[in-house]
Amino acid sequence: MTPPTAGARPLDRLRPVGWAGLVVAAALAASVLTGALARTSLPVLLGSSVTRSGMDVAGVACVGLTLVALLLPGPRHLPGSALRPRQQVRATADRALVAVAGAWLVLVLVGTMFRAADAFGRPLGQLDAGEIGSFVTRLAGGRGLVLTAICVAALIACAVVRMRDPTRVQARVPMVAALLGLVTPAVTGHAGTHPDHQLAIMSIGVHVVGAALWVGGLAVVLVLVARHRALLEPVLPRFSRLAGWCLGAVAVTGVVTALIRLGSWDELVTTSYGALVIAKAVCLVLLGLLGWTARRRLAAGRTPVLRWAGVEVAVMAATLGIAAALSQSA
């Protein structure tokens, strides 16, 4: 007999807010500790850090919200009592996708202004339209943000259509738009201008995609699926397999990207970029241990791994913040 579905507790609704706050705090702290204030003013640093990390949070959340439709088993593979929760989860994910994607687009537009102020070394209030235009047309970082805005606009259009009729747009289409929106600022930033251009592009692209699927998927499983036991039992093993591949991809591409960016091993301990790489590597090792623990519990038939998963998402949030600081320091 399927256990009754538990309602969402108020604390569960606050989890995403706490995770987002942790990302922003980690990004800001990492930027300050690595000397970002020496290159820009405090208001611009605050605006750049909040919008950059907020863009990452929104993008990863959108990837997770699109992934949940692919993780849920088909109606034929579920008991009758799970059909209604399945429909509720999918409908909630589609509605949330519209809201989160809209917030993402706003963050991209506001972040463009802060990044332009940082690039020209001017206070935000002294920027003119010509400087913003030059930033988005002549600088790689600005062009990347324009491409991100286009991808997010396409994502919003797909999400609105799916909210009205999910059969008109396959779930993979908005997922691709969300992943492209996350990848473009990364590959047009510190990867796009490196001498090993092609290798850097491929490495950072795979790195971002793997991290987004892993972090976004786990967060959405915890927030939307966890309280429905009949859905959680088939979804967790599916996601666990995906997370294992994502962990391997993130680890390998992270090493490749660090080797490309760092001129020598000494720079790991002598540069701010190296310090952020070490901090991110420590978080990745911790995430691997947490994921291994969860997989062991699943293999033993012990499905209540949600407490471990909550800790894993918190560490992921801190890692996202460090990654945002890495992209700004490069």
Side-chain angles (χ1 to χ4, degrees):
M1 183 175 181
T2 303
T5 297
R9 295 175 299 177
L11 184 60
D12 294 334
R13 297 190 181 99
L14 293 177
R15 277 180 174 178
V17 178
W19 293 333
L22 184 56
V23 174
V24 174
L28 183 58
S31 297
V32 171
L33 290 174
T34 53
L37 275 175
R39 303 186 299 271
T40 187
S41 63
L42 180 59
V44 172
L45 174 63
L46 284 171
S48 297
S49 297
V50 171
T51 53
R52 182 69 183 91
S53 54
M55 286 164 52
D56 288 342
V57 170
V60 167
C62 287
V63 171
L65 289 168
T66 57
L67 178 62
V68 72
L70 302 178
L71 290 175
L72 290 171
R76 291 178 297 178
H77 304 287
L78 290 172
S81 59
L83 296 181
R84 184 176 179 183
R86 178 183 182 275
Q87 184 61 31
Q88 290 175 343
V89 168
R90 294 195 63 167
T92 301
D94 288 338
R95 290 194 301 270
L97 182 59
V98 174
V100 177
W104 188 6
L105 183 58
V106 171
L107 286 166
V108 172
L109 298 177
V110 176
T112 299
M113 293 186 290
F114 278 108
R115 295 286 295 278
D118 187 30
F120 287 102
R122 296 166 64 88
L124 186 63
Q126 296 181 10
L127 273 180
D128 57 40
E131 289 172 327
I132 296 176
S134 296
F135 176 71
V136 299
T137 56
R138 298 182 181 179
L139 298 182
R143 292 196 296 268
L145 288 172
V146 171
L147 291 174
T148 297
I150 293 172
C151 291
V152 179
L155 171 62
I156 293 173
C158 292
V160 170
V161 172
R162 276 188 57 82
M163 190 169 62
R164 296 180 177 180
D165 184 3
T167 62
R168 294 182 62 183
V169 178
Q170 293 185 356
R172 292 179 178 84
V173 176
M175 176 186 288
V176 170
L179 289 171
L180 288 175
L182 279 171
V183 168
T184 48
V187 299
T188 54
H190 60 282
T193 57
H194 198 272
D196 295 323
H197 179 75
Q198 292 183 342
L199 179 59
I201 290 288
M202 290 187 294
S203 177
I204 198 65
V206 173
H207 190 81
V208 170
V209 169
L213 290 171
W214 182 15
V215 180
L218 182 57
V220 170
V221 166
L222 280 176
V223 174
L224 295 184
V225 182
R227 61 181 180 268
H228 303 289
R229 175 65 61 182
L231 297 178
L232 183 65
E233 290 179 355
V235 166
L236 264 183
R238 287 184 173 195
F239 176 75
S240 181
R241 290 190 293 270
L242 173 64
W245 286 103
C246 290
L247 172 60
V250 170
V252 172
T253 54
V255 171
V256 172
T257 301
L259 290 175
I260 291 173
R261 286 291 307 165
L262 295 172
S264 66
W265 290 108
D266 292 341
E267 292 187 13
L268 275 175
V269 294
T270 59
T271 65
S272 60
Y273 188 89
L276 291 177
V277 168
I278 292 175
K280 190 177 175 183
V282 170
C283 290
L284 185 61
V285 171
L286 181 56
L287 287 171
L289 292 174
L290 289 170
W292 176 73
T293 301
R295 288 178 69 88
R296 283 191 61 189
R297 292 172 69 86
L298 280 175
R302 299 159 66 189
T303 55
V305 295
L306 301 183
R307 184 175 301 175
W308 290 96
V311 175
E312 190 173 352
V313 174
V315 177
M316 286 174 171
T319 309
L320 275 179
I322 295 171
L326 265 173
S327 66
Q328 302 245 117
S329 66

